[in-house]
Amino acid sequence: MRTPPATPSDPPGTTRPIQSIERAAAVLEVVARAGGAASLKDVAAHTGLGKTTAHNILKTLDQLGYVMRRVGDTRYHLGGRILNLSRIVGDDSSLRLRLRPALETIAQRTGETVYLAVPSGDETYYLDTIESSQNLRTTCRIGERERLEGSAVGLIFLAFMPGLGPRVLATRTGALGPDIRSRIAQVERLGFAVDLATYQPGLHCVAAPWREGGEVRAAVGLSGPSARLPRDRLTEIGALIMKTVSTA
């Protein structure tokens, strides 16, 4: 929908609000004020929109990751993408403090580089890291961003964040490679992601999700030289990460 042109009564240089954006914002506000979940009926009633219009807006927001449906629940919940925007504004520090003990435990148990990552739009953002003390080790810079494809933490977000995988697959299919769907399916089945030198030659990685309220909010990953981290060892560490972060 185009922005309506200014009318003669509007001040010079004025543009009028875009109705579709106003409606989408109103829908999100209703869901937020309802505690993060609202039915189609409630959204339509509180926004004054017809049910068909409200449904179409909610379906679009669902496809974009700003709202989501849960199994067995007809309500629309705030989605991971909008919650990530809130996280960026307010709670990176608290998340880092909360998960730091888990990172320390995993680092002590494995001797490898461990890191905490969160989704940021369609990218991965690294919040914290504990580097290995071994001579041959990997590094991870706090504040670094990277695309989702290729990394173990990226696979976690693609597999477990509703709407993210389909959206990225639709816009970056060439970059993700022909086997990405099978890799995502494997992550969903195992509960953790393994990368065998796909992201970087000679580097093996494993990552598992951290959930809050049942929703994936972050991923804890580990990486090191392939010689020290064969597949069997990565599987063991994947189980260790899942167990450790489950109580964080």
Side-chain angles (χ1 to χ4, degrees), residues 7-53:
T7 65
S9 60
D10 292 327
T14 298
T15 57
R16 302 173 69 185
I18 300 174
Q19 187 181 58
S20 58
I21 296 178
E22 284 187 316
R23 289 176 170 180
V27 167
L28 289 173
E29 288 175 1
V30 169
V31 176
R33 286 197 299 266
S39 67
L40 170 60
K41 180 180 178 181
D42 288 339
V43 169
H46 285 88
T47 59
L49 298 171
K51 282 190 176 181
T52 299
T53 300

Side-chain angles (χ1 to χ4, degrees), residues 92-114:
D92 276 357
S93 295
S94 62
L95 184 59
R96 187 184 299 112
L97 289 173
R98 180 172 180 176
L99 290 175
R100 181 70 181 192
L103 266 64
E104 292 173 346
T105 297
I106 297 165
Q108 291 169 2
R109 293 279 299 275
T110 63
E112 302 293 350
T113 296
V114 184

Side-chain angles (χ1 to χ4, degrees), residues 36-117:
S39 67
L40 170 60
K41 180 180 178 181
D42 288 339
V43 169
H46 285 88
T47 59
L49 298 171
K51 282 190 176 181
T52 299
T53 300
H55 179 261
N56 289 338
I57 292 173
L58 285 164
K59 291 295 290 184
T60 301
L61 291 171
D62 188 2
Q63 292 171 2
L64 294 173
Y66 290 105
V67 300
M68 60 172 288
R69 299 282 292 276
R70 294 177 178 172
V71 176
D73 190 343
T74 60
R75 297 175 300 169
Y76 288 86
H77 297 252
L78 291 178
R81 202 172 191 189
I82 197 166
L83 293 173
N84 288 338
L85 294 176
S86 174
R87 174 197 56 74
I88 291 169
V89 171
D91 66 357
D92 276 357
S93 295
S94 62
L95 184 59
R96 187 184 299 112
L97 289 173
R98 180 172 180 176
L99 290 175
R100 181 70 181 192
L103 266 64
E104 292 173 346
T105 297
I106 297 165
Q108 291 169 2
R109 293 279 299 275
T110 63
E112 302 293 350
T113 296
V114 184
Y115 41 87
L116 171 65

Side-chain angles (χ1 to χ4, degrees), residues 128-147:
D128 200 4
T129 184
I130 299 176
E131 291 193 6
S132 171
S133 61
Q134 302 189 66
N135 290 331
L136 185 59
R137 62 180 184 271
T138 59
T139 60
C140 178
R141 292 181 295 177
I142 296 174
E144 186 176 51
R145 295 177 185 271
E146 66 180 24
R147 303 187 88 178

